[in-house]
Amino acid sequence: MGTGLDLPLDSVLRGDCIESLKRLPPASVHAIFADPPYNLQLKTELRRPDDSLVDGVDDAWDRFDDLATYDRFTREWLTECRRVLRRDGTIWVMGSYHNVFRLGVALQDLGFWILNDVVWRKSNPMPNFRGRRFTNAHETLIWAARGEESRYRFNYAAMKSMNDDKQMRSDWLIPLCTGNERLRGPDGTKLHPTQKPEALLHRVILACTAPGEVVLDPFLGTGTTAAVAKRLGRRFIGLERDPGYADAAEARLATIEPLSESVALALPAKREQPRIPFGALVERGLVPPGTKLWDRHRRWQAEVGVDATLRCGRVAGSIHQVGAAVQEAPSCNGWTFWHIERRDGTLRVIDELRAELAPGS
Amino acid sequence: MGTGLDLPLDSVLRGDCIESLKRLPPASVHAIFADPPYNLQLKTELRRPDDSLVDGVDDAWDRFDDLATYDRFTREWLTECRRVLRRDGTIWVMGSYHNVFRLGVALQDLGFWILNDVVWRKSNPMPNFRGRRFTNAHETLIWAARGEESRYRFNYAAMKSMNDDKQMRSDWLIPLCTGNERLRGPDGTKLHPTQKPEALLHRVILACTAPGEVVLDPFLGTGTTAAVAKRLGRRFIGLERDPGYADAAEARLATIEPLSESVALALPAKREQPRIPFGALVERGLVPPGTKLWDRHRRWQAEVGVDATLRCGRVAGSIHQVGAAVQEAPSCNGWTFWHIERRDGTLRVIDELRAELAPGS
DNA sequence: GGCATAGATGAATCACAAT
DNA sequence: CATTGTGATTCATCTATGC
C-alpha cells in the first residue's frame, strides 16, 4: 500500500521506543524482535498506573505497583508493535522467568497468536553461586503471529537444513555472547549488560523472514538484531533511547557487509517451488497414456488416461482422488502414493519424475 | 503446629479439587506439584504424513470457554494451594505455551516468589507434522516459594550428585512416559492422555522435600506424583475428580514399595552427548555463510549458504547430500569429506571444527 | 530364539492457492 | 468470503510380526 516509503529503513531511531513506534506506518514490518528491559532498572524508566512518574529511590513501591507498572509498559509497546506489524508478520519477544510470563499473557490478551515458545539453552551459563536454586541456564523466546488466522512465514526447510536435516526443535543450544563478539569500551568493560549472541539472531531472522524484508527491534541496545539483519540481506529499523548504545550500534553497523544474494538466499522449500501438474508428465511422454501405476505394495493398480486422469476399476479422477478412493482415505498425495515400474521390474515413485521437469535440470 | 493430624495422608481424595483443598488445614503441606489442564484448544483433527490420525487431547476437562475463565479457575485453585502450603514450602506448576504464561502471572500476582523456571526437554517429542512450526519439544515447570521471604528447602547436594557432580541446570532432558511405564487399559489404550514420566517427579520431589514430608498433587490423574512420593519415602495427598483415574491411581499405589534414600539418590540424571549440527558452525561464525569448502584433493568446491546448505553448481543440499552428489556416490560423510582453507592455504577437515564445539574441549 | 523389518504413537493451539 | 482441489508433511522409541 505504499506505506514503505515512510519507513526509516536501515537506521537507528533515538528516543523513547513507544514514541518512535507511533511514528511508524501501520502494517509495515515483516518481523519484530524485542528483548525488553526488566528487573529493577525498570523502576527508573516507568510510570505508575496513575501515570505519575516513578521515583527510582521510592521505597514505598510494593510488589503490586511494580508488576502493574511493568504490565502497563509491556502492553503499551506491544500494542504499537502489533499496529506496525504486517498481517503476515511475526514477533519474537524474549525474557527470563522474572518477566516472560507477563510478556506471554500480554501477547495473548492483545490478540497475538503464540506459535512456539523457544528455549535458548546457554552452553556456558553463570553458575548459581549461593547454591539455593537450579543454575538458571536458559531464557525463553516467544514466537507469535499477529493473529490466529495469520498466514505467517516459517522457513521450514532452512531450519531443517540448519539442524542436519531434522526438524528444528523448540530448544536451542547457543553460547553466551563472549570473546571478540562482545562489544567493549576502551577500558575493556562490556558496553551492554545483556548483549545477545549473533547466532541467536541468525536463527531467529532466518526462520521467519526473506531477504529484503524488514526487521524491527524496539529495544536495539548495541545493535545485534540490526547487525545480523544487515548481514543476512534484510532491512532493519532499530529503536534505542540510550545515546551511548545507539552510538555503539551505529558504529557496529558501519562495519557489517551484507552477504552476497546467492549466499543469503536459503534453499526454497518444496511448497515454494513452482507446481508441476501430473498432466505435464503425460504430455512430455514421461508417463505416456496407458501407463500402469502401482502403489508401493502393489496392492492397487491404475491406468493413466490421455487426459492425465487415473482409472482403477470403477474409480476415475486425479492421481490424488484415485489414491484416496482406493485406500478409502480422506485424502492422498498421489505424487508419493503412485509408482511406475522400471524395466527391471522395480518401482519408482512418480514424484521423482517431477524433478526431471524442474527448471535447471 | 499440629495441623498434620488433620491431614488425610497417603490417600486419594475424590471430587472437585478446589472443594477438597478447602477442607485441608492451612500451612500443612511441604510441597505441591500441579499439572493442571492446559486448555489446548485443538480445532481440527491432525493427521501424520502417513495419514494416520493423531490421538490428541480432546477431553472435556481440558476445555475452557475463554482465557478469562481459565484465569479464574487458575487463581481459585492456586489461592487454595497457597493457603495449604507451609510457609517454608514450595510449589511446582507445569504447562506448555498455551497456558504456562497465565500460570506464571497468577503465581506472581498471588504473592508466590518464583525461584526457577525449569524446562523439561523431551528426548522423543512428537514431530510437527505439517512443517509449520518448530517441533514443540519441551514443557515448562515453574518452581516457586510461598513468598519472597520464605526459607524454602533446596537439596542442592542431591541435585548436584544426580548431575555428575555439576550444578543441576534449569533444563532437564527426560523421555516421555511410554512403554511399560505407561498405564493402559485392558484394550491396550492409554488410561490417561497426559501421564507424566516418573523420572520427572523423581527429580522434582528429591529437589525440594525430605523423607517424611508431605507432597500434595491437586490434579493427581493416574497418580505419578503419589507413586514417586511413596517410593521416595514421602507422604502424599492426591486430589482427583475423575473416578476412573482415581481408581487407577489407587491400584498403582498399592504396588509401590518405598525405597531407601541411598538407593533413590543413585539414580543419575540422563547424560547427554550433544550432537553438533553443521548449522551450529555456520551461525556461530566458525564457518560463515559464503565460505568455500573443498574436498581433500580440491577436485570439488562448494559454497556455504546462510541455512547451512552447500551449493556446488546445480547441486544444493546438506554437506552430506552434496558430497555424495559430486562423487556420484550413494552416501557420504560430509564431516570428513569437506575442508576449509587455512590462511596459509592448507586444508583442514571440518570435522575438527565440530570437535572444538564439543563439551570438554 | 535371534534378528530384521514394519507398525504404532506421544499435551498439537499443524495449508493454501485457485475459483 | 466461502468452497474446492492440490499436495506438503515426521522423530525417537517401543511393540509386533516374520523369517
Side-chain angles (χ1 to χ4, degrees):
Chain A
M1 300 300 151
T3 54
L5 295 175
D6 307 310
L7 274 181
L9 287 174
D10 304 326
S11 64
V12 179
L13 306 182
R14 293 161 189 247
D16 177 76
C17 85
I18 293 168
E19 296 307 314
S20 294
L21 283 166
K22 284 183 173 166
R23 285 194 288 271
L24 297 178
S28 53
V29 307
H30 298 82
I32 298 175
F33 179 87
D35 180 21
Y38 44 95
N39 281 340
L40 301 177
Q41 310 155 7
L42 285 168
K43 290 181 179 175
T44 62
E45 306 177 348
L46 297 178
R47 292 164 187 270
R48 291 201 179 86
D50 64 1
D51 218 27
S52 62
L53 271 174
V54 170
D55 179 353
V57 293
D58 184 356
D59 292 328
W61 251 48
D62 65 13
R63 176 184 49 79
F64 177 79
D65 276 348
D66 194 355
L67 295 175
T69 305
Y70 189 73
D71 289 344
R72 178 189 173 83
F73 167 69
T74 299
R75 278 154 208 263
E76 217 173 332
W77 67 262
L78 275 178
T79 298
E80 290 306 317
C81 280
R82 189 154 188 272
R83 185 185 65 79
V84 163
L85 191 61
R86 288 166 52 106
R87 282 179 54 183
D88 57 355
T90 56
I91 185 170
W92 294 79
V93 182
M94 75 177 289
S96 69
Y97 67 83
H98 304 92
N99 68 326
V100 73
F101 305 115
R102 320 220 60 105
L103 298 175
V105 166
L107 283 166
Q108 290 180 311
D109 288 351
L110 291 174
F112 289 100
W113 191 246
I114 297 180
L115 300 168
N116 279 111
D117 58 332
V118 168
V119 175
W120 168 29
R121 301 177 52 225
K122 303 173 184 181
S123 52
N124 48 349
M126 173 108 60
N128 185 290
F129 293 114
R130 300 188 58 191
R132 297 295 298 141
R133 304 178 181 196
F134 299 98
T135 302
N136 194 8
H138 74 276
E139 293 185 38
T140 302
L141 298 92
I142 306 174
W143 184 44
R146 192 176 183 282
E148 183 173 354
E149 307 298 333
S150 300
R151 293 204 189 165
Y152 57 93
R153 167 183 286 274
F154 175 52
N155 295 321
Y156 175 75
M159 288 297 102
K160 191 172 174 178
S161 69
M162 292 273 301
N163 192 37
D164 276 358
D165 286 331
K166 280 184 292 191
Q167 286 191 342
M168 187 69 82
R169 297 170 38 121
S170 55
D171 51 339
W172 301 355
L173 183 67
I174 293 176
L176 291 166
C177 179
T178 58
N180 284 335
E181 190 186 324
R182 189 85 196 215
L183 297 181
R184 295 179 194 281
D187 57 350
T189 59
K190 49 197 177 192
L191 280 186
H192 193 282
T194 64
Q195 185 183 342
K196 296 298 173 289
E198 295 195 0
L200 184 72
L201 272 298
H202 181 103
R203 202 177 291 185
V204 163
I205 292 172
L206 204 58
C208 66
T209 65
E213 292 186 348
V214 181
V215 180
L216 166 72
D217 187 335
F219 306 100
L220 186 68
T222 44
T224 304
T225 303
V228 178
K230 181 178 180 185
R231 184 178 302 124
L232 293 179
R234 274 69 170 173
R235 316 300 296 268
F236 65 85
I237 302 170
L239 315 183
E240 178 52 48
R241 55 173 284 160
D242 184 296
Y245 294 162
D247 289 345
E250 284 179 338
R252 175 183 188 179
L253 284 162
T255 70
I256 304 285
E257 282 299 320
L259 294 166
S260 75
E261 208 170 307
S262 65
V263 170
L265 194 64
L267 290 185
K270 210 171 175 183
R271 62 164 63 90
E272 290 173 304
Q273 291 165 359
R275 291 188 175 187
I276 295 172
F278 184 61
L281 303 190
V282 179
E283 283 172 0
R284 301 277 292 271
L286 277 92
V287 182
T291 302
K292 298 220 171 6
L293 301 186
W294 283 267
D295 73 294
R296 195 163 62 98
H297 303 292
R298 293 187 189 265
R299 294 171 64 188
W300 294 286
Q301 187 197 93
E303 193 177 64
V304 179
V306 286
D307 55 354
T309 58
L310 276 195
R311 293 92 191 271
C312 176
R314 290 198 320 234
V315 184
S318 72
I319 53 172
H320 316 293
Q321 291 167 338
V322 175
V326 298
Q327 294 181 97
E328 298 179 5
S331 68
C332 169
N333 181 349
W335 289 109
T336 52
F337 181 73
W338 294 109
H339 299 63
I340 61 170
E341 194 171 45
R342 294 193 187 89
R343 286 187 187 170
D344 63 3
T346 59
L347 294 178
R348 182 183 187 196
V349 65
I350 59 174
D351 195 45
E352 286 183 15
L353 300 174
R354 269 200 298 187
E356 296 181 12
L357 286 188
S361 60
Chain B
M1 302 306 146
T3 54
L5 294 174
D6 308 308
L7 277 181
L9 287 175
D10 304 326
S11 63
V12 178
L13 306 182
R14 293 159 189 248
D16 178 76
C17 83
I18 295 168
E19 296 307 312
S20 294
L21 283 166
K22 285 182 173 166
R23 285 194 289 270
L24 296 179
S28 53
V29 307
H30 298 80
I32 298 175
F33 179 87
D35 182 22
Y38 285 11
N39 190 24
L40 284 186
Q41 310 161 64
L42 304 178
K43 292 192 177 60
T44 58
E45 66 175 24
L46 177 65
R47 286 175 180 274
R48 297 183 172 82
D50 65 5
D51 254 338
S52 62
L53 198 59
V54 174
D55 182 17
V57 178
D58 54 359
D59 306 70
W61 51 255
D62 196 51
R63 285 196 289 270
F64 293 81
D65 289 337
D66 49 38
L67 289 175
T69 307
Y70 187 78
D71 288 342
R72 276 196 300 276
F73 167 72
T74 299
R75 278 155 206 265
E76 217 173 332
W77 68 260
L78 275 177
T79 298
E80 289 307 316
C81 281
R82 191 154 187 271
R83 187 185 63 81
V84 165
L85 191 62
R86 288 165 54 107
R87 284 179 53 183
D88 58 355
T90 57
I91 185 171
W92 295 78
V93 183
M94 74 178 292
S96 66
Y97 66 85
H98 312 84
N99 69 323
V100 76
F101 306 115
R102 329 287 313 181
L103 298 175
V105 166
L107 283 165
Q108 290 179 311
D109 287 352
L110 291 173
F112 289 100
W113 189 250
I114 298 180
L115 300 168
N116 278 113
D117 58 333
V118 168
V119 175
W120 169 28
R121 302 176 51 224
K122 303 175 184 183
S123 55
N124 49 349
M126 179 153 33
N128 184 291
F129 295 115
R130 309 306 294 262
R132 297 298 299 142
R133 303 179 176 195
F134 299 99
T135 304
N136 194 4
H138 74 275
E139 294 185 34
T140 302
L141 297 91
I142 305 174
W143 183 43
R146 192 175 183 283
E148 184 172 355
E149 307 298 333
S150 299
R151 286 200 237 165
Y152 59 92
R153 168 184 287 274
F154 176 54
N155 296 320
Y156 176 79
M159 289 297 102
K160 192 171 175 182
S161 75
M162 276 186 73
N163 194 39
D164 210 17
D165 279 331
K166 288 180 295 188
Q167 286 190 347
M168 185 70 81
R169 295 169 41 119
S170 55
D171 50 340
W172 300 356
L173 182 68
I174 293 175
L176 295 170
C177 178
T178 58
N180 284 335
E181 191 187 325
R182 190 87 192 208
L183 298 180
R184 296 177 195 282
D187 58 351
T189 58
K190 55 193 176 194
L191 277 188
H192 193 283
T194 69
Q195 186 182 340
K196 295 296 172 291
E198 294 195 359
L200 184 70
L201 272 299
H202 181 97
R203 203 176 294 183
V204 163
I205 292 172
L206 216 51
C208 66
T209 64
E213 293 186 345
V214 181
V215 179
L216 167 70
D217 186 336
F219 306 97
L220 187 68
T222 45
T224 305
T225 304
V228 177
K230 181 178 178 185
R231 183 176 302 123
L232 294 178
R234 275 68 171 173
R235 318 297 296 267
F236 64 86
I237 302 169
L239 315 183
E240 178 51 47
R241 186 177 58 175
D242 184 293
Y245 296 161
D247 289 345
E250 284 178 339
R252 176 184 189 176
L253 284 162
T255 70
I256 303 287
E257 285 298 323
L259 291 175
S260 70
E261 178 81 359
S262 60
V263 172
L265 266 177
L267 289 169
K270 182 164 180 154
R271 292 185 56 185
E272 187 186 5
Q273 193 67 27
R275 191 177 48 82
I276 309 280
F278 184 60
L281 305 190
V282 176
E283 64 186 10
R284 292 185 202 176
L286 275 87
V287 183
T291 303
K292 301 231 178 340
L293 300 186
W294 283 267
D295 72 294
R296 193 161 64 98
H297 306 292
R298 292 186 188 264
R299 294 171 62 190
W300 295 285
Q301 186 197 90
E303 191 175 51
V304 178
V306 286
D307 55 355
T309 56
L310 282 193
R311 296 95 190 267
C312 176
R314 287 199 327 234
V315 182
S318 69
I319 53 172
H320 315 294
Q321 291 168 341
V322 175
V326 298
Q327 296 180 93
E328 297 181 10
S331 67
C332 167
N333 181 351
W335 287 110
T336 53
F337 180 75
W338 294 107
H339 298 64
I340 60 169
E341 194 171 45
R342 294 193 186 90
R343 285 189 188 169
D344 64 3
T346 59
L347 293 179
R348 183 183 187 196
V349 66
I350 58 174
D351 199 38
E352 288 183 13
L353 299 174
R354 182 167 63 157
E356 286 182 13
L357 286 190
S361 61

